[in-house]
Amino acid sequence: MLPYRPKQGEIPTSPGVYRFRDAEGRILYVGKAKNLRARLSNYFAPLHTLHERTRRMVTTASSVEWTVVGSDVEALQLEYMWIQEFSPTFNVRYKDDKSYPYMAITLADEAPRVIVTRNRRIKGAKYFGPYPKVWAVHDVIDLMIKVFPIRTCSDASYKKAMATGRPCFPGQIGRCGGPCSMKVTIEEHRAIVDDFVAFMAGGDQRFARALTARMREAAAAMDYEAAAGYRDKLQAIEAVLGKSALVLSDDTDADLFGIAEDELAAAVQHFVVRGGRVRGVRATTIEKEIDISGAELVDQVIQRTYGDAAAADIPKQVLVPALPDDVAELEQWLRDKRGKNVTIQVAQRGGKADLMRTATLNAQQALMLHKTRRTSDYVARTQALTDLQEALGLATAPLRIECFDVSHLAGTNVVASMVVFEDGLPRKDQYRSFSVAETTDDTDSLYQVLTRRLAHLDRPEDADVEIAAAAIDAEQASADGEVATVRKRPRFAYPPQLLIVDGGQPQVAAAARALEESGHTEIALCGIAKRLEEIWLPGEEYPVILPRTSEALYLVQRLRDEAHRFAITHQRKRRRRDISSVLEEVPGLGAARIRALLRHFGSVTALRGATVEQIAELPGIGPKLATAVHEHLTSR
């Protein structure tokens, strides 16, 4: 029972915002609720039923308070304001991968100019982007000023040119089309700027049509010089449009969010679609400190993206992977900010769903890269090993770590993997895979594999014997006139300082038994359970909970994920070999046709369940051969 828990009748049933504080009065967490009583009662459920991170938050807190508001939309606004003001420890934390470059038009200036900037606070500026690279912005500007020649020179050059009546230097070489070039008036230049902005805002096809018409008129009048000028401008417009391919209908203005997440972090890919084209992409990494669902994460992403956004930057449609519970309130909040209708939807089919899949794939890659960078950075690696040493109570930092995972297919085809990290980095040349012939369950498989691996620690001469045998084989091959390559296997006899197994108490107990029976209790052991990412030690009743932002947890998670990937890869290769060996017995079925069957069906089970007609549909396999394959598999 938490001492600060309010009485049930004290909490109102109105919408509002609540705040958990610690003993020093610091705000730990801010949340909103349509019904404060119903929402807060979830936090005061029996502690053993709470997610570990939520339990840590409510036990760290020493008080909770709330503010009642008049509507759900007001709760949304107040929650966003307080999160921005207090940066609570247990709310999700955002980290942009980088400060992205934008194209900006300084509309507040007498003669607006186009610039490349990372500053989003230029007063009166109109922004386009963000762009992935600075050179990408410059490329677009170079093309655009051929069609819409607006000012590019600095403010100092502009003032000097207007005061002296002499063109600015960029204007002299044809790189500036402002009034400072002495070719247009301020009013004429403003009209060109308006066209520039209109084109960038929606890729307006009317400019292409107008230029095409003028080019044809000039050619018909045999004014070939003017026609060539219009042609060059038309090519520049086509080049600009080509840099942002048309992905949706040209009247589509939308923001699309692809999200990939795990228990510790999430990556967000924000695609800005204007006029049916992807005009910019922004990547954001989110570090989670408390358990949060996918829909709640979408809620937080929308609030952060549009909290300080100008009305012009809010599109009429927001596409997300999952709808938040308060989607109606979010839509109302966005409508109030934009001054026009805004809808939040999940892309179900067609081009929008395809683009969502692309954004999600990008987010998955960004999340993987984020985790990889953390474990490959020297400072982060050092911190991870130090944190792991302290958390597990080790005498020294575990410089060599081996992680084991067991994989099977419905209880059959059991394999296991061993991945090795040294100094926090993967040593892929020392990865190993194991096949398990007979086993009762995953814990027995893990026990068998570890027993086999640990046996090599007592036979360091094995590696030397293998190398010597390889050298003899190579010498014999050379004598026969063949080209031979000696591959020295890495010494399997190096002892790890830490063994990690994928799993909780049962898996750790099986691994501890293998260590004890092999006489290697000096090797530290732990397991990582997937559900809550907790660390289990042998014989302990409760797990070790590492902070979500801990470098040690990222390292252990990376080891577990790598072991799982390697085990699955080995199992797939083995399954394909098994399929090939079965199919090679079919007369007339060569290697090329076996590969075609594997690509199409993927497994013997799927192929065995296929009809003769389905098998015969594959190119190169007629009815006769399909019948032979079907009869061979069904007779086994």
Side-chain angles (χ1 to χ4, degrees), residues 360-372:
T360 303
L361 178 61
N362 277 271
Q364 291 168 348
Q365 293 173 341
L367 181 60
M368 181 181 66
L369 182 60
H370 168 69
K371 296 173 69 174
T372 303

Side-chain angles (χ1 to χ4, degrees), residues 367-538:
L367 181 60
M368 181 181 66
L369 182 60
H370 168 69
K371 296 173 69 174
T372 303
R373 282 174 175 169
R374 287 193 67 163
T375 53
S376 62
D377 178 73
Y378 175 75
V379 175
R381 293 201 323 265
T382 303
Q383 186 65 49
L385 295 174
T386 303
D387 290 350
L388 200 55
Q389 176 188 352
E390 294 177 356
L392 303 184
L394 307 180
T396 59
L399 298 182
R400 179 181 171 94
I401 306 174
E402 295 177 3
C403 184
F404 293 81
D405 182 35
V406 174
S407 178
H408 59 83
L409 183 65
T412 64
N413 206 12
V414 181
V415 299
S417 65
M418 178 188 103
V419 300
V420 181
F421 275 38
E422 288 187 350
D423 196 21
L425 291 174
R427 285 292 305 272
K428 294 192 176 184
D429 61 324
Q430 299 193 26
Y431 286 13
R432 290 290 181 271
S433 55
F434 304 83
S435 296
V436 181
E438 295 183 2
T439 183
T440 56
D441 55 24
D442 281 356
T443 57
D444 180 54
S445 301
L446 192 60
Y447 168 77
Q448 291 186 45
V449 168
L450 282 171
T451 300
R452 287 157 58 184
R453 188 272 171 271
L454 293 168
H456 285 270
L457 297 180
D458 301 319
R459 299 197 302 271
E461 69 279 1
D462 286 359
D464 298 328
V465 171
E466 290 169 355
I467 293 170
I472 293 171
D473 292 343
E475 184 178 351
Q476 181 62 44
S478 299
D480 295 338
E482 299 176 2
V483 177
T485 301
V486 179
R487 293 187 178 180
K488 294 185 178 182
R489 292 184 61 191
R491 289 175 63 87
F492 200 24
Y494 291 156
Q497 283 82 48
L498 175 64
L499 285 181
I500 299 177
V501 296
D502 181 14
Q505 286 176 304
Q507 287 76 16
V508 171
R513 183 160 57 93
L515 283 168
E516 184 177 355
E517 292 179 2
S518 65
H520 287 287
T521 54
E522 78 282 0
I523 298 175
L525 169 67
C526 72
I528 176 170
K530 178 72 173 174
R531 190 172 68 90
L532 297 177
E533 300 294 315
E534 66 246 12
I535 308 299
W536 288 93
L537 298 178

